[in-house]
Amino acid sequence: MAEVVAPNQPSGDWQGKYYHVDQVLETPGPRTSDAFAAGDQVKGFLRNQSKILVIGAGGLGCEILANLALMGFKDIHVIDMDTIDISNLNRQFLFRPKDVGKPKATVAAEFVMQRVPGVTVTPYYGKIQDKDDDYYMQFNIVVCGLDSVEARRWINATLVNLVDESNPDSLKPLIDGGTEGFKGQARVIFPGVTSCYECSLDMLNKPVAFPICTIANTPRLPEHCIEWASVLEWPRVHGSKKLDTDDPEHITWLYNIASTRAQEFKIEGVTWALTQGVVKNIIPAIASTNAIIAASCCNEAFKLATQCAPYLNNYFMFIGTEGIYSYTFEHQRRPECPVCGGETIDVQIGKEWTLEKLMEWLLEKQDIQIKKPSLSTDGKPLYYQGPPQLEEATRPNLEKLLSDLVPNEGEISVTSTSLPFTLTLRVTYT
Amino acid sequence: MNSPEARTLESATAAFVSFTPQGTMTPVNAGSVPDNKTRRYDRQLRLWAASGQNALESARVLVISGSATSTSILKNLVLPGIGHFTILDAEKVTPEDAGNNFFLHQSSIGKSRAEEAVKYLAELNDSVESVADTSTLANIILKDPTYLASFTLVIAHNMSTLDLVPLSTLLWENAHNKPNPSPPLIVIRSAGFLAEFAVQFHEHTIIDSHTEALPSLRIDKPFPDLETHALALEFENMDLTDHGHVPYVVILVRALHEWKQKHDGSPPKTYAEKKEFKSQLTNMKKKIDEENFDEAVAQAYRAWTATSVPREIEALFSDPACTNVTSESTPFFLLLHALSHYTRRTGLLPLSSTLPDMKSDTTSYIHLQNLYKTRAREELEDFAKVVSGVLDEVNAPQELRTTVEGLIDEFVRNAHGLKVMRGRRWGDDDDGALLAAIASYPAHVATHLALSALYSFEKSQGRYPTIGSADDLGAMTAWVRERLGKAGWVEEPDPEPQNAGIEVDAEDEEDEDAPEPEPTFWKRVQNALGEVARAPTSDLPTTAAFLGGLVAQEAIKLVTKQYVPLEGVCVVDLVASTTGVITV
């Protein structure tokens, strides 16, 4: 092996290591802003001072970590609560069959440090919710490669709440990527300045939900039979034992129940794989799409950290199914956004609405996306999902007219475990 | 794309098969826990199914150079399980190479770049075969002209023009060689934040394009059993439960039949008639909240959308490869030829047996589904007879016959999304196309010209521009000016401030709200040339990774013959965070 480490190089670096990256750091381009401090200053900041957080060490996360390390970020932290599954190996390229079962964050961090000398990747195997504001305050940039809407909403709300106008360091740019099959998107969020994740919730595909009455009474598709097995039959037969969608035996049980029901109704098409796909809500994922979106996220992180080129304002959408199509645009803020708009939401309500009707309306609303909401007004519970005594005590309210519970222009506070903030509704009766 | 409407029963059930140790796949009991290989590939099998996976595992890719972009592409092909890859690279790993390439290591410095890159890529997937070839391209082509024909696809990143011209010529001219035709070629060029790539191929045919267009339900031309069923229902005498569960397809067939009787056999035509038709549907309700009738209103357009052979499919029938079939024709064109005969007789594509989900009870829905399935099977058998006749006519050998007959199901299921693409030879731009592209996509053409200037410089000077050299930038700028002059381009005057925005309409992807006036085309060229001069030899890791994803997606689409590949030149500008496709 060639001994190439010069004595004055920081550990893990060698002459020529940054030849490719340095070309864009040593001179500005025609579209580079005046804020760019070309040369040693920007290199010093990038390599010695900047600290970046990667959320997710899965399909996007593996790519993001490798890219950031090669671009010269040297202090990288990564959070992931998952362990490695065999179905990750078709794209999560930092993992090998021997790693199945181990924490993603730890294995990914070790791999990147081994492959790219001089970089420190600090893993945390756990939930983003375990960390407090002080933890998030230490980073310059947060990059998200998540598959969960809930986790994205949480980190988005957390970073918006972190903004303290008297402290410019409290503004943490959030770069968010997501993929599905041959499609994906990358975006740059400046909490409180640009459109935030919550502002664009209505752009998400509506989750496929089958009405209970279809599942119970009029199944037509194999999916309906599978939902019947998982939603109705599993709890009926197994009581409080939780369905583990990662356990092949549980999937096989559901598959058998669903198949029997399908035969009974002469419905074709229940398979083991479809059963697994429906109950785990599997989204197709491939390495190439993750590479495009992760590269886009890291390109923006690099441009943000160095100012060597203008960064994305603020949304890049990609579709690779029919030719190559992408659309770069500015997603607008939603003034009534419950996270960054800070306003209460005005709702017009019919006089005949019961509390239950309001609950149903809330569950349907695409720009709120809430599960199991608890409602209160003026500090008094209207309906609480738990604990059981409180649920029981407030249940009779469901049938009552809302106008008997809340005055005109009164406010209702909505909380839910799926909602990282309290939503306030101001009701007007029509 | 994941909605239950879009998913067909067939794809849901046919997508999953298991693998035998030999690598070929056979359908197995769909109820068993999948084996390790199926589990590993689960997330991609849900996209391209067993047929796509088989194609991928039979594919052999040659990548010329072990650059960061090259290994990024390969990573995304090795992970999903490409059959074989070769890296052809005679160079040794430099300290610069080890710094930007995730599939090289500090310890690789001084060793063969092909061997080191293959070593680190092969780790990703044990079932992929790999070869490191340390010869030069020129030597290989001289020694064994058939070498290239052993691959399914050739990929070349930042290849010197002096090598690229003979390579692309050889591949283009030998593309019809028997028995070993030369494969398509993907040419990629990148510098810093800018990049472009194009695919050289003669012809690409696609049965399963995964189109989001849905096949016709034939509401306007119901087959006899569907019409009989719709007319036999006694809506008046139904109880509320049954009435609320009549599938909207049946409602529409019935309502259209009644409408036509009152309108001289014509469907609703004018806006007023369509509105009236919809209100008649609403009036059929017995209760205000009958969702099946709401669905009928929402789907009413199906009643006045005439079912016929889609224009894009009709256009394929006049392709010379379709009109003149022989025993040398590909299975695709034999099937297409048969389809042209079939549709000439019927005026319709064979019926697709897929029925979307709709508000209904189980019995009514399954009954309707069976009507469609039975009819679809009859039409499929009818089509199969036409195919058989075509195969007889051309004296198809048994092997070809078996292949064609095995494709009939898939062909009919996807008949409304068939595609034939005719590609182009890699090489110089066409003047007229260049001018047209400038008018439509000035930013992308500017990037394309800047990268062309870089490689024109490399060709004439035998070296790359020196980083940040004003002289070299001047030489590239002069080249673009000359190229544009030859094409007949006339520089537009700087826009008057009050005119800013007027020209914007011609571009379909600029932000209309931008307060800044749109830059002139020449300004865009200068911006792009400035980026190239800033980083002429930078294979930036993020640009490499971005290209790695894009090119691998295209490779997968080409190899699996599923989805629709790129047509034209794909241009990437990671300063502006945009991509575009131009035809030049």
Side-chain angles (χ1 to χ4, degrees):
Chain A
M1 186 188 113
E3 246 336 302
V4 286
V5 181
N8 59 345
Q9 294 288 330
S11 142
D13 284 0
W14 61 87
Q15 194 74 43
K17 182 181 182 186
Y18 293 116
Y19 169 80
H20 294 272
V21 175
D22 280 352
Q23 292 186 34
V24 298
L25 293 183
E26 271 155 16
T27 38
R31 289 169 283 179
T32 305
S33 92
D34 295 339
F36 177 53
D40 290 343
Q41 198 181 327
V42 69
K43 291 183 209 167
F45 174 76
L46 176 68
R47 292 165 200 164
N48 305 326
Q49 287 172 45
S50 74
K51 200 167 181 180
I52 190 161
L53 174 65
V54 178
I55 301 182
L60 284 167
C62 284
E63 306 266 353
I64 290 169
L65 289 169
N67 287 336
L68 292 178
L70 291 175
M71 291 305 279
F73 286 91
K74 290 201 162 177
D75 188 357
I76 306 172
H77 291 239
V78 58
I79 303 186
D80 197 300
M81 58 185 278
D82 272 346
T83 54
I84 298 158
D85 180 77
I86 187 169
S87 65
N88 301 144
L89 301 180
N90 81 324
R91 61 196 187 283
Q92 301 179 15
F93 68 104
L94 305 178
F95 311 141
R96 303 288 174 266
K98 66 172 169 50
D99 299 321
V100 168
K102 295 181 193 162
K104 288 184 178 179
T106 321
V107 177
E110 276 166 19
F111 194 105
V112 172
M113 286 196 284
Q114 188 273 323
R115 186 60 61 83
V116 185
V119 65
T120 307
V121 184
T122 310
Y124 174 69
Y125 169 45
K127 296 165 88 161
I128 49 173
Q129 290 87 347
D130 298 346
K131 300 292 187 183
D132 59 11
D133 285 358
D134 285 347
Y135 174 82
Y136 291 106
M137 268 302 283
Q138 65 180 310
F139 300 105
N140 302 99
I141 299 172
V142 178
V143 190
C144 268
L146 287 161
D147 56 3
S148 140
V149 174
E150 237 166 76
R152 281 199 182 95
R153 290 176 85 173
W154 189 88
I155 190 66
N156 177 67
T158 301
L159 294 184
V160 171
N161 288 334
L162 209 58
V163 177
D164 166 6
E165 278 169 30
S166 64
N167 176 13
D169 283 346
S170 66
L171 184 76
K172 309 292 178 192
L174 170 64
I175 303 172
D176 179 61
T179 70
E180 173 178 351
F182 283 86
K183 307 174 182 179
Q185 81 284 329
R187 62 193 294 189
V188 175
I189 294 167
F190 275 84
V193 181
T194 66
S195 140
C196 78
Y197 185 72
E198 197 78 18
C199 290
S200 60
L201 266 196
D202 57 350
M203 285 174 76
L204 293 173
N205 287 335
K206 206 166 179 173
V208 182
F210 304 109
I212 284 287
C213 63
T214 299
I215 297 166
N217 305 319
T218 59
R220 298 174 296 272
L221 302 181
E223 287 88 341
H224 296 153
C225 302
I226 295 164
E227 287 278 294
W228 185 78
S230 65
V231 176
L232 300 175
E233 282 302 282
W234 180 275
R236 192 181 67 77
V237 174
H238 294 95
S240 60
K241 182 176 160 191
K242 223 173 160 275
L243 173 66
D244 177 5
T245 57
D246 288 327
D247 184 338
E249 281 181 27
H250 288 195
I251 301 289
T252 301
W253 188 88
L254 295 175
Y255 163 73
N256 288 331
I257 299 289
S259 298
T260 309
R261 183 167 174 86
Q263 268 166 18
E264 189 185 318
F265 285 93
K266 302 190 170 57
I267 294 168
E268 291 175 19
V270 174
T271 61
W272 199 94
L274 183 68
T275 306
Q276 189 201 29
V278 169
V279 298
K280 281 184 67 123
N281 188 25
I282 289 177
I283 292 162
I286 52 175
S288 42
T289 314
N290 284 334
I292 295 166
I293 296 305
S296 179
C297 290
C298 295
N299 180 50
E300 301 310 328
F302 178 75
K303 292 191 292 183
L304 272 169
T306 62
Q307 302 287 321
C308 73
Y311 52 81
L312 169 67
N313 181 31
N314 52 30
Y315 206 111
F316 171 76
M317 188 180 88
F318 176 84
I319 301 176
T321 46
E322 206 171 331
I324 296 172
Y325 174 82
S326 78
Y327 183 47
T328 303
F329 66 102
E330 184 179 354
H331 187 270
Q332 299 294 327
R333 284 185 80 174
R334 200 153 57 98
E336 74 282 9
C337 171
V339 169
C340 76
E343 302 285 323
T344 54
I345 299 182
D346 282 305
V347 286
Q348 310 266 318
I349 282 178
K351 280 211 178 62
E352 75 287 357
W353 279 35
T354 58
L355 180 60
E356 188 164 26
K357 168 96 179 163
L358 178 77
M359 298 264 293
E360 283 170 10
W361 174 85
L362 264 175
L363 292 174
E364 276 287 300
K365 240 175 115 54
Q366 180 68 10
D367 54 2
I368 296 180
Q369 301 207 8
I370 195 170
K371 289 175 208 153
K372 297 194 170 179
S374 289
L375 279 65
S376 61
T377 185
D378 217 5
K380 295 189 299 282
L382 286 169
Y383 178 74
Y384 270 35
Q385 302 277 351
Q389 305 93 309
L390 195 53
E391 195 276 332
E392 206 171 310
T394 54
R395 200 186 304 154
N397 281 345
L398 287 175
E399 288 168 24
K400 290 184 187 162
L401 284 179
L402 199 62
S403 53
D404 291 341
L405 297 165
V406 182
N408 196 33
E409 299 200 357
E411 290 187 348
I412 299 175
S413 299
V414 184
T415 56
S416 153
T417 49
S418 70
L419 208 63
F421 52 89
T422 301
L423 179 73
T424 311
L425 305 175
R426 192 189 298 119
V427 295
T428 323
Y429 299 104
T430 54
Chain B
M1 64 198 267
N2 211 18
S3 69
E5 286 82 9
R7 193 189 342 229
T8 64
L9 287 176
E10 279 78 2
S11 70
T13 50
F16 289 90
V17 294
S18 191
F19 301 80
T20 63
Q22 287 76 36
T24 56
M25 296 188 277
T26 44
V28 292
N29 179 8
S32 58
V33 181
D35 62 18
N36 276 355
K37 186 171 177 187
T38 310
R39 283 166 68 198
R40 179 178 180 129
Y41 292 142
D42 178 81
R43 299 303 184 271
Q44 69 202 43
L45 288 171
R46 290 175 195 268
L47 288 172
W48 53 67
S51 59
Q53 189 64 29
N54 272 336
L56 202 57
E57 290 179 18
S58 311
R60 297 167 47 84
V61 178
L62 171 67
V63 177
I64 306 175
S65 105
S67 69
T69 296
S70 298
T71 58
S72 296
I73 296 164
L74 275 172
K75 161 187 139 276
N76 300 323
L77 295 175
V78 171
L79 286 165
I82 192 111
H84 167 103
F85 73 94
T86 292
I87 293 182
L88 177 64
D89 193 333
E91 303 294 325
K92 297 273 187 270
V93 177
T94 64
E96 291 79 10
D97 292 335
N100 76 333
N101 195 329
F102 200 77
F103 299 96
L104 295 174
H105 188 258
Q106 188 179 3
S107 62
S108 307
I109 297 172
K111 299 178 187 166
S112 152
R113 191 160 72 163
E115 284 169 4
E116 287 295 293
V118 164
K119 178 175 90 183
Y120 288 116
L121 283 164
E123 280 177 4
L124 300 175
N125 194 340
D126 288 344
S127 52
V128 175
E129 187 186 282
S130 55
V131 167
D133 194 325
T134 55
S135 3
T136 63
L137 179 68
N139 266 337
I140 282 219
I141 295 177
L142 274 179
K143 259 195 262 165
D144 181 6
T146 63
Y147 174 78
L148 293 172
S150 69
F151 293 97
T152 320
L153 180 66
V154 178
I155 298 174
H157 173 238
N158 279 358
M159 182 183 272
S160 163
T161 316
L162 290 175
D163 282 334
L164 187 54
V165 170
L167 174 70
S168 59
T169 305
L170 191 71
L171 291 175
W172 180 258
E173 288 175 355
N174 295 338
H176 298 297
N177 274 10
K178 300 268 160 80
N180 296 312
S182 289
L185 167 71
I186 303 184
V187 177
I188 308 144
R189 286 171 164 176
S190 67
F193 290 111
L194 306 186
E196 67 171 3
F197 68 97
V199 191
Q200 167 179 289
F201 65 93
H202 282 264
E203 174 189 291
H204 182 72
T205 56
I206 310 163
I207 297 178
D208 190 357
S209 62
H210 292 256
T211 174
E212 292 187 6
L214 296 172
S216 168
L217 292 171
R218 299 220 190 138
I219 306 282
D220 62 318
K221 294 189 177 76
F223 48 90
D225 284 354
L226 174 61
E227 187 164 45
T228 311
H229 172 60
L231 299 185
L233 291 183
E234 296 183 23
F235 284 82
E236 294 300 318
N237 300 332
M238 279 182 196
D239 65 30
L240 280 178
T241 310
D242 287 347
H243 195 263
H245 287 97
V246 180
Y248 79 75
V249 168
V250 179
I251 297 173
L252 285 176
V253 170
R254 173 69 165 261
L256 184 62
H257 178 87
E258 286 170 6
W259 172 278
K260 281 179 170 175
Q261 283 190 325
K262 289 185 199 133
H263 294 83
D264 300 324
S266 300
K269 282 185 201 142
T270 63
Y271 177 73
E273 284 180 346
K274 290 172 183 174
K275 220 174 134 185
E276 193 189 333
F277 182 74
K278 284 189 189 178
S279 63
Q280 281 186 15
L281 291 169
T282 310
N283 289 339
M284 288 169 78
K285 283 186 177 184
K286 285 190 176 180
K287 259 177 72 193
I288 184 82
D289 61 350
E290 288 180 320
E291 286 173 45
N292 53 335
F293 285 89
D294 293 337
E295 285 183 354
V297 172
Q299 301 287 329
Y301 72 93
R302 291 179 184 270
W304 55 74
T305 309
T307 301
S308 61
V309 180
R311 203 172 308 147
E312 309 81 59
I313 305 299
E314 189 79 54
L316 303 183
F317 296 154
S318 51
D319 192 295
C322 174
T323 48
N324 311 311
V325 288
T326 66
S327 59
E328 306 271 275
S329 293
T330 61
F332 180 91
F333 282 111
L334 289 164
L335 287 162
L336 191 66
H337 183 80
L339 188 67
S340 73
H341 281 297
Y342 177 90
T343 57
R344 207 167 301 144
R345 177 156 56 79
T346 61
L348 299 169
L349 295 175
L351 182 69
S352 162
S353 62
T354 58
L355 190 64
D357 189 29
M358 57 194 74
K359 178 74 185 174
S360 175
D361 57 277
T362 307
T363 317
S364 310
Y365 182 82
I366 298 296
H367 179 68
L368 184 65
Q369 195 178 50
N370 283 335
L371 292 180
Y372 273 85
K373 277 188 185 168
T374 307
R375 177 68 186 189
R377 205 175 307 122
E378 288 164 11
E379 295 192 6
L380 184 100
E381 280 162 16
D382 202 9
F383 176 68
K385 281 183 202 144
V386 181
V387 173
S388 187
V390 170
L391 292 171
D392 290 345
E393 233 170 85
V394 301
N395 270 322
Q398 191 52 44
E399 198 185 340
L400 179 64
R401 188 174 267 276
T402 313
T403 310
V404 170
E405 285 170 351
L407 285 170
I408 291 178
D409 256 343
E410 191 194 348
F411 192 82
V412 165
R413 196 165 58 236
N414 296 293
H416 62 294
L418 301 172
K419 294 247 184 242
V420 176
M421 298 171 75
R422 301 262 174 228
R424 283 187 46 190
R425 181 176 182 157
W426 182 86
D428 294 333
D429 301 338
D430 172 80
D431 290 346
L434 189 64
L435 289 179
I438 290 171
S440 308
Y441 306 104
H444 302 317
V445 179
T447 303
H448 166 68
L449 286 173
L451 289 164
S452 303
L454 174 65
Y455 276 87
S456 167
F457 182 100
E458 183 269 338
K459 186 183 173 191
S460 62
Q461 312 262 331
R463 65 170 176 95
Y464 284 91
T466 304
I467 298 166
S469 156
D471 286 349
D472 292 352
L473 172 60
M476 290 191 287
T477 309
W479 183 87
V480 176
R481 270 228 178 263
E482 198 189 319
R483 178 69 193 87
L484 285 170
K486 187 182 145 270
W489 177 76
V490 182
E491 183 167 3
E492 76 264 52
D494 274 340
E496 299 288 326
Q498 66 265 33
N499 286 347
I502 289 181
E503 310 256 358
V504 173
D505 293 345
E507 299 169 22
D508 61 4
E509 46 177 26
E510 304 297 334
D511 187 357
E512 284 170 41
D513 297 326
E516 295 278 315
E518 285 301 315
T520 62
F521 176 62
W522 185 248
K523 179 74 191 155
R524 292 184 191 277
V525 169
Q526 288 176 311
N527 283 346
L529 282 167
E531 275 309 326
V532 167
R534 173 195 197 184
T537 52
S538 165
D539 192 4
L540 203 58
T542 39
T543 306
F546 194 84
L547 287 169
L550 285 178
V551 174
Q553 275 200 355
E554 292 311 302
I556 289 166
K557 291 190 275 183
L558 287 166
V559 162
T560 60
K561 297 197 168 193
Q562 292 185 36
Y563 299 93
V564 184
L566 164 74
E567 223 170 352
V569 180
C570 177
V571 180
V572 174
D573 177 356
L574 290 179
V575 173
S577 309
T578 58
T579 74
V581 175
I582 55 174
T583 312
V584 283

